[in-house]
Amino acid sequence: MNSTNRIKIIDILRGWALLVVVICNYSVFAYDENYQIIGKGFVSKILQTLEKFLFSAKGWSLLFVLFGFGFGVFMDKFQGNSYLGFIKRMFILFVFAFVNSIIYDGDILRDYAFLGLLILFFYKLSAKKILIIASMILFFIPFLDAYINALDMSYVETQIAIIAPLRYSHSIVDLFKFNFWSSYYFEVVNLGYSVTAHCVMFVCMLLGLWAQKTNFFEKASFYPKRIKKIILISFVSALVLSLILFFSFQNKATYLAYFSPNYWIVLLTMIFTTACICLLFLKQRCRTIFGCFSIVGRMTLTNYMVQNLISFFIFQGFGLRLFYTLPYYCYFLIAVGVYILQIFFSFWWLKSNNYGPLEILWRRWSCTISKP
């Protein structure tokens, strides 16, 4: 796989991850405060199952892997002498994160920026050491997850209940307040996110950096059997763990109070779908679909923030107020429809530009890459 193709598969994976993210983010608006949806039709059940097992948390975890990969590429480009340049990029990303957090209460750009600063300390480590550190953190995550899940987080629920009416307000200022404070309580005060999820995100970043240092995607075409082995092992492992967890819940197993492998299942499923896409790409299958993924993936920041801006006007009180008003499958279809529109927009924009609009601003403001 030459360098051009290696970059293309990264863009394809970014595009796929953005599709997964928009489906998961928009599906949230199908649920009420009691996590109930309108209607229990066959189509909705199928899509719910698909979202739960193949999509939920798999999009953002893949994006963090790709972020770690991109970090390694960036540092190699400047021969490891651009720590200040990368720090500038992360502070500009914090600005984007603030804007995103007032239009959507599930912002992850802040997590990129925060963990991006942390991963700087690991850049000069060898690929082997990076993999060992990632494995060690990953090993302890189920114990950490179980411990934090046992803590009393009623304070968060109380605060969310206090600000909940703001979500249905027609005032744009009220909605900005709700999104910002909801993001704060769910992702900062809530230890399940601020501690456990961040550990998972950082593991994903380290795995991405490991992949970059080992030229994993570049070498993939020479070892298709390795990709097939990854597919088999990740699928079987995720399936077995899922079945064990299901029956453990059914029988109220006591070990769940000390060991929760949910994130192991998430990462194994993410690795499975990612490896499948890589194998299909190597076999030159699904060219049209992958071409669409690649176009959207080249404008990841722009398309992610636009997805959230559109959801602000479609689902929340200031806009069409389609929050918990339609069957589940409608939110799924709206997400896919928005993604299709982004394919056309990205294609049109990239005909005359090398980067997306926000990517251009990011590079200019951080003064680390010359103007396109």
Side-chain angles (χ1 to χ4, degrees):
M1 187 186 301
N2 60 38
S3 59
T4 302
N5 287 337
R6 182 174 67 87
I7 294 173
K8 186 173 183 180
I9 186 57
I10 295 301
D11 287 333
I12 289 171
L13 292 174
R14 287 190 179 117
W16 160 254
L18 281 175
L19 174 60
V20 173
V21 164
V22 71
I23 289 173
C24 292
N25 287 352
Y26 284 20
S27 296
V28 168
F29 293 102
Y31 296 89
D32 66 4
E33 60 274 12
N34 297 316
Y35 206 68
Q36 298 296 316
I37 65 171
I38 294 177
K40 299 289 184 179
F42 176 75
V43 174
S44 290
K45 287 183 178 179
I46 293 295
L47 293 177
Q48 273 187 296
T49 302
L50 184 67
E51 191 273 336
K52 179 180 179 180
F53 290 102
L54 284 184
F55 295 162
S56 182
K58 285 75 176 182
W60 63 253
S61 56
L62 176 55
L63 285 175
F64 276 94
V65 171
L66 299 174
F67 185 96
F69 182 92
F71 162 74
V73 171
F74 176 90
M75 295 301 291
D76 279 1
K77 182 177 180 180
F78 294 96
Q79 299 179 340
N81 296 318
S82 192
Y83 284 91
L84 181 59
F86 188 78
I87 291 172
K88 287 181 180 179
R89 286 171 65 87
M90 294 303 98
F91 275 106
I92 296 300
L93 195 56
F94 270 120
V95 175
F96 284 118
F98 174 78
V99 174
N100 194 53
S101 66
I102 64 174
I103 61 174
Y104 176 64
D105 63 338
D107 170 69
I108 61 171
L109 298 180
R110 172 186 58 253
D111 306 316
Y112 287 133
F114 168 69
L115 295 175
L117 294 174
L118 183 60
I119 202 172
L120 279 169
F121 295 99
F122 296 80
Y123 169 68
K124 291 188 176 181
L125 295 180
S126 67
K128 182 178 179 180
K129 289 182 180 178
I130 289 172
L131 187 59
I132 291 173
I133 293 171
S135 300
M136 290 175 63
I137 299 173
L138 187 60
F139 174 80
F140 285 105
I141 283 175
F143 301 98
L144 177 65
D145 193 24
Y147 172 75
I148 289 181
N149 287 339
L151 298 177
D152 182 11
M153 287 286 107
S154 57
Y155 170 76
V156 174
E157 297 176 1
T158 301
Q159 295 303 314
I160 292 296
I162 292 173
I163 65 172
L166 295 175
R167 163 162 266 170
Y168 307 101
S169 173
H170 290 282
S171 168
I172 193 171
V173 175
D174 285 345
L175 286 170
F176 285 165
K177 288 180 181 178
F178 171 81
N179 288 322
F180 178 81
W181 287 110
S182 177
S183 179
Y184 170 74
Y185 289 123
F186 270 123
E187 300 183 354
V188 178
V189 179
N190 178 20
L191 298 180
Y193 189 96
S194 62
V195 177
T196 311
H198 275 93
C199 287
V200 177
M201 293 171 185
F202 192 63
V203 166
C204 291
M205 276 192 178
L206 291 175
L207 292 177
L209 182 57
W210 169 84
Q212 188 274 331
K213 284 181 173 287
T214 58
N215 296 317
F216 176 83
F217 293 103
E218 185 175 349
K219 294 178 180 178
S221 61
F222 299 105
Y223 302 102
K225 290 184 179 180
R226 182 179 297 177
I227 302 297
K228 292 179 182 178
K229 185 180 294 185
I230 291 173
I231 291 173
L232 179 61
I233 293 174
S234 59
F235 174 77
V236 172
S237 300
L239 180 61
V240 170
L241 278 176
S242 296
L243 290 174
I244 292 174
L245 192 61
F246 173 78
F247 287 110
S248 296
F249 275 118
Q250 292 293 315
N251 295 284
K252 299 180 180 179
T254 56
Y255 81 85
L256 293 175
Y258 311 98
F259 185 85
S260 177
N262 286 296
Y263 278 117
W264 280 8
I265 297 172
V266 166
L267 295 184
L268 285 168
T269 307
M270 179 271 290
I271 291 171
F272 165 72
T273 55
T274 300
C276 286
I277 290 173
C278 290
L279 184 62
L280 289 172
F281 174 74
L282 293 175
K283 290 182 175 293
Q284 298 185 352
R285 306 286 177 82
C286 306
R287 291 185 181 182
T288 301
I289 295 175
F290 286 169
C292 294
F293 286 167
S294 178
I295 289 170
V296 175
R298 287 176 61 187
M299 295 170 45
T300 304
L301 177 61
T302 296
N303 284 321
Y304 170 69
M305 291 193 67
V306 168
Q307 288 173 0
N308 295 333
L309 182 63
I310 291 174
S311 75
F312 179 83
F313 289 106
I314 291 180
F315 302 119
Q316 301 197 41
F318 183 75
L320 300 179
R321 302 172 65 87
L322 297 182
F323 185 91
Y324 186 62
T325 58
L326 302 170
Y328 179 88
Y329 68 84
C330 291
Y331 297 88
F332 197 98
L333 293 176
I334 290 171
V336 174
V338 167
Y339 189 85
I340 291 173
L341 290 176
Q342 290 190 311
I343 292 172
F344 287 105
F345 173 75
S346 300
F347 178 77
W348 169 77
W349 179 269
L350 292 172
K351 285 197 299 185
S352 54
N353 298 275
N354 293 326
Y355 305 103
L358 295 184
E359 284 80 1
I360 291 174
L361 289 178
W362 189 18
R363 284 162 170 78
R364 288 179 176 174
W365 289 348
S366 56
C367 301
T368 58
I369 297 180
S370 61
K371 296 181 181 181

